[in-house]
Each structure stands twice: as structure tokens, then as C-alpha cells.
Amino acid sequence: MYYCMHGWQGRVEKEKLDSFNLPFYAPSMDEVTDVIARSQAFDVTHIQLFETNLDPHDDDDMEMEMNEDAAVQSGVNVARTIRAVIGPLIAGHFGEHILDDLFELLANNVAVHLRKVKTKYPVIVVSLKARRAK
Amino acid sequence: MRWLASESCRLAIMKVERDFHMSRGDGEDSYASNSRVQEKSILKTRPVLHKAVTAAHALCLISSGPGGGAMVVADLGCSSGPNTLLIVSEVLGAVADSRHELATTMMVVGGAGQPQHVQIFLNDLPGNDFNLVFRSLEQFKTLAARDRREKPLLPPYYVAGLPGSFYTRLFPDRSVHLFHSSYCLMWRSKVPDELAGGAVLNEGHIYIWETTPPAVVALYRRQFQEDLSLFLRLRHTELVPGGHMVLTFLGRKSKDVLRGELSYTWGLLAQALQSLVKQVSSLLFPFY
């Protein structure tokens, strides 16, 4: 279906993809508290992990299966959210011209994924108090 | 060789600092119009933030006395859009409530003296759309004053933009009472040198994935540990002793680093990138 819409335009060289990595790391709570403890500079006054829906417009916290229309819409929402955050980084490496195609493909991939499993983002919130210098 | 290594490392950092910013403006594709995930988290972490603001306010009162030096708050990675102002509004509201509470519970004569002035620094990388933030501040001031009619008055406040990476020094020693950062600390200061320089390959993928070799995972994890400990060290120096910090960021629930929830999201993006590559191969080898 994608080919019919866009023709056979290759837009990303394999070398470009292989040299692209995200400056990103999603740590577990243990990994976070480990680094904090080793710093010896802060006391943790609060730490928790909560989950938020992959689709920002999906306010439903139930683990329900998505119908096709909802999944397609969610795919678009998720792709938009991700594009707003890393669009400039992608454009800087691959060029501005791939953005529309790439995020349309991502929207499709997300929709297919969400039909199979409702996905949530884990979010860590930590409140710290600075220790006084010894 | 050493020079080459540090040069490629410098370039990698420069790339993040230059290209890493939320999409500018307030159009359909902008961050300002697509930041609801982040907004939901701010609302969810509100009680934690309010507690920290109250504690930082009390600390400021103790160290400088009512009406003394300003309470200094910094939002690190403020971005541009409604969430930037939401944080400003949450902090100011919490200071106003805390002052009101102090005045009623402690029966301070004259209502806890002069209100504490609040200085808020909005920090992000230089590529951030600070102009959008500054333009919306005027409107915010009018709305904030109107919305607070039934509530304790907002303290006098001053907002300033502060460009720079939070993996560098941003403030003088012992000058900040409260740091806040939402949805930023999962971003590394750079792609690990060995990956950026091509010494180690993460073929076809853009983050840790089920098939990622342990050497690549170790690089990512080490970068996280170095970045976070640097961040903590810098902020500890800049905080007033006993100062507070509220940090919210994407994490991992799964114990298995190869099956983190975010790995799946970035996996879907890598898949999309791969299909853009595959079309080249199909073009080159039409007999497939």
C-alpha cells in the first residue's frame, strides 16, 4: 500500500541508518537510585514509577483491545508526539525530506502494534533533597 | 589519535546541542501543539512538586527571612509551549498557597510579612524556541492574575530564559532553592563515543533492542550513569544547602534491559527507517 502512495523512492542509505543512534536511555528505578546513592549528595524523599498511555489522547486506563479505527487514530497521535520531540534530530541526520514519509510509516507501525498490545510508557518521578556539605 | 577521539566526541556533543530541540513554533507539527503526554505527567506529579515547592519556600524563609532574598527556581529543559507556562503557574501557585498556610497556621502578624519574591529561570538548549516562550509570558501574566481572584495572591515573580545544556554548570554556587525537570533526563548528553564514531555498530537499530549485543547495552548504560552523576554533582553545587529537586523522566519497568517498554517504541521507528532503506534495495535489485 505504501508503494502505491509514494512510488519507489528510496530515501535512507543503510550507512546513514547504521550511524544513527538515539542519545537516550530509559533506566529502571534501581538504576536511578543506584546512581543517586553513589553520588552521596542527595536524599531521596520520594520515588515512584507510574504508567501513561502511549497515545496522549487515550485517557482510558483499561486494558481493552483497540478496534481498528481507534488504533489508526492512536497511531497518528503517537507519531505526532514523537515527531514533535525528535523530528529536528532526525532531520539533522537524514535530511528534512524524509520526515513526512517516515512518520506516516511510524503511524502505521504503531497502529498495527497497538492492535496487538496496549502499550504504556513508564515514567519515573523522584524528589531529592540536597545533603549539606560535610 | 587521542585528539581524534576527543574531537569526534566534541562533534557528537555539538550535534545533540545543535539538533536536539523540540519542533519550533505552534503549528500542527510543533511541540507546543503535541505535548499532551508531557502535560499529563506534570499533572500526575503535581503533589510531589507542591511538596517540594513548600519545602523550598520554607528553606528560603529560614535562610533569608521573610521578604529577604528571592526564592530561586529553575526549570531545566523547559521546552516551548503550554507546559512551560504550566510549570511556572504550578510553582507560583504552590508558593502562594504555602505562604497563605504559613500566615494562617503561625498567625504571623501582618500575614507572614512581605511576600517572598520568586525568580524563575527557564532553561533549555539554545535551539529551543525561547521566542515562543517569551511571547506567551505576557498573556500568561494576565491570565494568571485573573484565575487567582478567589485564591491567595501570587507572589511577585520574575521570569528569565537561560540557554545551555544542563550537563554543564548553569548557576553560581549555592544560589538555587528548587530545580525541576520534566521529560528531559532520559536524553543523554551525547550518543556514546564508540557508537557515534562507528567503532561499535548497532546495525539497523537506533536504540537498545531485543537483539542488541551486550557491548552496545553497556555503552548506553555507562553513558546514563556518567550523565546522571554529572547532573547530580552540578546541581548539588548550585543548590542552596538543603535545596530540593523534582525530576520526572521516562524509565523502564521491565527488569530486562533488552525488553524495555521504550525499546518497542523506538523499535517501531527503526522499523520505519528500515523500510525507507529497503526501498533503495528494491530499486537496485528489481529481480527480487
Side-chain angles (χ1 to χ4, degrees), chain B residues 185-204:
Chain B
L185 279 166
M186 62 280 189
W187 294 107
R188 307 279 49 93
S189 61
K190 58 178 179 176
V191 173
D193 293 340
E194 294 84 344
L195 269 178
V200 177
L201 275 187
N202 188 20
E203 228 170 318

Side-chain angles (χ1 to χ4, degrees), chain A residues 102-118:
Chain A
L102 178 67
F103 286 98
E104 197 175 319
L105 281 166
L106 178 65
N108 279 328
N109 293 351
V110 171
V112 171
H113 178 73
L114 284 175
R115 293 265 357 229
K116 284 185 272 180
V117 52
K118 183 154 177 170

Side-chain angles (χ1 to χ4, degrees), chain A residues 2 9 14 18 21-23 25-27 31 41 51 56 59 80 84 88 93 109 122 124 126 128 130-131, chain B residues 15 21 23 28 36 40 186-188 191 202-204 206-207 221 236 243 245 247 249 251-253 268 279:
Chain A
Y2 180 78
Q9 291 174 303
K14 190 174 177 301
D18 286 341
N21 286 285
L22 290 173
Y25 186 79
E31 286 173 325
E51 293 180 282
D59 293 326
R80 277 220 179 111
H93 187 86
N109 293 351
I124 294 175
V126 55
L128 301 171
R131 289 185 189 164
Chain B
K15 217 170 147 187
H21 56 80
S23 297
E28 198 193 22
R36 193 146 182 265
K40 281 166 107 176
M186 62 280 189
W187 294 107
R188 307 279 49 93
V191 173
N202 188 20
E203 228 170 318
I206 60 175
Y207 180 57
R221 187 178 277 138
H236 186 258
M245 189 145 86
L247 313 171
F249 47 88
R252 196 178 77 241
K253 198 178 169 189
L268 294 171
Q279 290 175 66

